[in-house]
Amino acid sequence: MSRLSPLPVRALCAGAALAALAAGCTSTPGDVRAPALPATERARDDLLKSAYQTLITRCLDAQGLTLERKAASAAEDRRLQAALFGTGPSELSLTLSAGHTVTAHTDGCLAEARRTLYGDGDDEQRWFTAEVTVNNLRAEVGVRMGEDPDFRAALARWNRCTAAAETAAPERCARREAELAGIRSRLEPELLAEVRALRDKELTAYRQLRNRALHRALDVVLARS
């Protein structure tokens, strides 16, 4: 099992997000407009990361903890880890088609930041399911590709070639590798389309909850700055 960490727990620079926000916020005397969301997906990702970091830092500060200083003892480090990730059994869990299970707590500063941006209750579960699914779409494609008979046969031929270590005829393994790459490039687009269609419910929830979170993140970042 693995614990879901929605975002890297490190200092995140908000410069790109704030620059994008400033570009989208214009006003004239008597005409006050709400700041616009960043235009690009990368800038929107930066905005969400910056808001996450702000919320996590605020949560830790309330407990007298910080990510900026190395823990002085093992006990202090355990306290920091518990404050970040939560304690006890993981309340959120999703098993993927490949058999891998992703889990997360609903307590701790990461969970609190997630709820602030994406909502609590049913929305928290919806976001967890949607995010894990979206992050693992290509892994699901890989599982399906491994079940394709043409791919499996080409992979077996390439494995046999490399295992034989025929150094006198390296071009033979190169041909096998090219064959395998060709089949992969042919299968990936159609398998990804199949997986996206199968996971349409999760993809729709991901888009809806992320769009709502962007507006909440905007409030968090602007209030901080």
Side-chain angles (χ1 to χ4, degrees), residues 37-164:
L37 291 175
T40 67
E41 285 303 304
R42 181 170 182 177
R44 291 185 176 203
D45 286 342
D46 286 340
L47 171 60
L48 287 170
K49 290 175 183 178
S50 180
Y52 250 125
Q53 184 63 32
T54 297
L55 293 168
I56 291 167
T57 299
R58 185 185 301 166
C59 175
L60 291 175
D61 284 346
Q63 302 176 63
L65 297 168
T66 178
L67 291 171
E68 304 302 320
R69 182 175 60 84
K70 185 176 180 180
S73 66
E76 185 177 344
D77 183 65
R78 286 193 297 271
R79 183 176 171 228
L80 176 60
Q81 295 299 314
L84 274 173
F85 298 107
T87 59
S90 299
E91 296 86 356
L92 301 177
S93 177
L94 181 66
T95 299
L96 303 169
S97 60
H100 182 63
T101 299
V102 180
T103 65
H105 288 91
T106 56
D107 62 325
C109 290
L110 287 173
E112 183 177 317
R114 182 177 65 236
R115 281 193 297 274
T116 299
L117 294 176
Y118 299 99
D120 56 8
D122 291 342
D123 281 345
E124 183 174 17
Q125 179 64 64
R126 284 180 69 217
W127 174 251
F128 174 79
T129 300
E131 184 184 33
V132 172
T133 299
V134 168
N135 288 343
N136 287 277
L137 286 178
R138 291 200 173 274
E140 189 168 354
V141 168
V143 171
R144 289 170 176 263
M145 188 176 299
E147 297 170 350
D148 182 85
D150 290 342
F151 181 83
R152 294 177 64 176
L155 180 62
R157 287 191 290 270
W158 182 74
N159 284 334
R160 285 195 299 270
C161 186
T162 56

Side-chain angles (χ1 to χ4, degrees), residues 175-210:
R175 288 197 301 270
R176 295 302 188 196
E177 185 175 8
E179 176 192 28
L180 185 63
I183 293 174
R184 180 183 287 111
S185 64
R186 173 175 61 82
L187 289 175
E188 272 185 338
E190 59 186 72
L191 290 177
L192 182 58
E194 288 179 10
V195 169
R196 291 181 69 87
L198 183 65
R199 305 302 176 197
D200 181 68
K201 178 181 177 181
E202 291 84 355
L203 288 168
T204 299
Y206 181 89
R207 289 191 295 268
Q208 291 173 343
L209 294 173
R210 185 176 185 272

